Amino acid sequence: MKPKIYYFAIAFLLTINLFSQNTYVFLGSYNRDKTAEAIQVYQLDTLSGKLTKVTSVKNVVNPSYLTVSPNGKYIYACTDTKTPNAGSVSSFEFNPSTKTLTFLNSQRSGGENPVYVSVHKNGKWLANANYTEGSVSVYPLLENGKIDSIAQNFQYRDGSVNKDRQTRSHVHSAVFSPQCDYLFLPDLGADKIRCYAFDENLKKPLVENKNPFTKTDLEAGPRHFTFHPNQKWGYCIEEMAGQISVYNYENGVLNKIQRIATHSDKIKDGFESSDIHISPDGKFLYATNRGKENNIAIFSIDENGHLKSIGYQSTLGKHPRIFALDESGKFLVASNVLTSNVVVFKRDSKTGLLKKIGKEIKMENVSCVQIKQI
């Protein structure tokens, strides 16, 4: 008779293997053609880092940014992006059992070129940022995953000092606060991080905040924003300046405590900083640089929320617009638009450094990656 520890080990390995097969990677693209695959879904093996294709959808144009509902059943996308006089948000249902991704419905985005969507933690609200026309739209989400008609839409006209890129507002993301009681809107065109209180129980949940915006440095070009897991600090990546501004956060108010470069010292201009995320353990921050460097800047986070640069990792492609960390913090997946490749990196939890693992995959004009354990 085999000892009990043998059966325990087998059960443990089976549990790990099952867990490793429940993590999915969702890829969006600038497909520009309804006959091309617009969204692809892969399974991430969290033991080996291998990506295995599950399904895809066509018949949708430029789903350039995606987000996944809290329960993992629905995918929401910015669609018809970079399309003149157009713009929409769309919903899809993902069923891992049948390996299907099914289109549900679309709504107008309320402004040209939608670039970012976020789902409230209750799964009942969707927020969308429109870049070209500088606006935010909020939608109720129905129980079947479909997007209801716009509940609110606010448009902005103010710009900033750069005559080439800041003649008007360009809202680049819509990010809920940790408790989802505020919505933050980094505005590249106006050098502001706008903010509304968010009351999930109202039919029009965006409520004017007593602090309607935080002013950034001039020509910063605030782009994406994230909060630390401890909910005390916020981090904004500034596309035009190539900087990250660090803020103390409390009840809808941001107070800046640090500003640090994302690019290496050899880059003096032409900054194209892009995306920003923090490891689940709260010890490291990652930020992507496009253009001249095409890398991931890696920072440690100290006990006061301050950042310290500890290295750079090439994304092994050009124009890393969006990247994502899996929920375990073991893997980082980067999408490179101009080289149409997706690369998986394994993350060292002690040093924060990254190492390529597995075989990269190809997707034409891949623009976004999201990861969800389901």
Side-chain angles (χ1 to χ4, degrees), residues 132-156:
T132 300
E133 292 185 9
S135 65
V136 60
S137 300
V138 177
Y139 310 77
L141 295 175
L142 305 178
E143 289 187 4
N144 61 6
K146 290 185 177 181
I147 306 170
D148 207 346
S149 56
I150 290 178
Q152 285 174 290
N153 173 261
F154 292 112
Q155 299 202 357
Y156 315 101

Side-chain angles (χ1 to χ4, degrees), residues 5 12 17 21 32 39 51 64 71 96 100 132 134 166-167 173 180 217 231 254 294 307 317 338 345 352 360:
I5 191 169
F12 179 71
N17 186 62
Q21 303 308 317
R32 307 191 189 280
I39 300 174
L51 292 174
S64 62
N71 63 12
T100 55
T132 300
Q166 296 181 309
T167 57
S173 55
C180 286
D217 289 60
Q231 305 183 14
L254 300 172
N294 295 298
L307 302 178
L338 297 182
F345 297 92
E360 67 183 57

Side-chain angles (χ1 to χ4, degrees), residues 153-315:
N153 173 261
F154 292 112
Q155 299 202 357
Y156 315 101
R157 302 296 179 195
D158 50 323
S160 191
V161 297
N162 188 302
K163 294 182 180 179
D164 294 323
R165 300 194 60 189
Q166 296 181 309
T167 57
R168 60 168 300 160
S169 169
H170 296 302
V171 180
H172 219 311
S173 55
V175 179
F176 283 105
S177 63
Q179 295 299 319
C180 286
D181 50 354
Y182 291 91
L183 183 68
F184 288 87
L185 308 168
D187 189 332
L188 181 147
D191 284 328
K192 293 177 179 178
I193 304 172
R194 303 182 189 275
C195 180
Y196 288 91
F198 195 94
D199 189 335
E200 62 183 278
N201 298 308
L202 298 178
K203 290 184 177 180
K204 294 185 177 183
L206 291 180
V207 179
E208 185 175 344
N209 186 20
K210 63 180 181 180
N211 297 291
F213 61 83
T214 299
K215 193 70 177 167
T216 68
D217 289 60
L218 294 178
E219 293 189 89
R223 179 183 172 96
H224 285 182
F225 191 84
T226 192
F227 286 95
H228 192 275
N230 69 9
Q231 305 183 14
K232 296 179 180 179
W233 308 313
Y235 300 81
C236 184
I237 192 164
E238 300 166 355
E239 176 179 334
M240 294 170 59
Q243 301 277 332
I244 296 171
S245 284
V246 184
Y247 299 89
N248 281 329
Y249 171 70
E250 186 175 9
N251 297 328
V253 178
L254 300 172
N255 290 301
K256 189 164 65 175
I257 58 174
Q258 185 191 20
R259 194 167 187 242
I260 186 171
T262 62
H263 288 270
S264 62
D265 292 341
K266 64 183 179 181
I267 303 298
K268 304 300 182 183
D269 54 25
F271 305 116
E272 291 187 60
S273 301
S274 181
D275 201 13
I276 185 168
H277 296 285
I278 295 173
S279 58
D281 60 16
K283 295 180 179 179
F284 298 96
L285 181 144
Y286 300 85
T288 41
N289 295 308
R290 301 166 295 173
K292 297 177 180 179
E293 290 193 307
N294 295 298
N295 63 19
I296 301 168
I298 306 169
F299 301 86
S300 61
I301 304 174
D302 71 14
E303 65 277 8
N304 296 310
H306 292 88
L307 302 178
K308 179 182 178 182
S309 177
I310 59 173
Y312 297 89
Q313 170 63 54
S314 168
T315 60

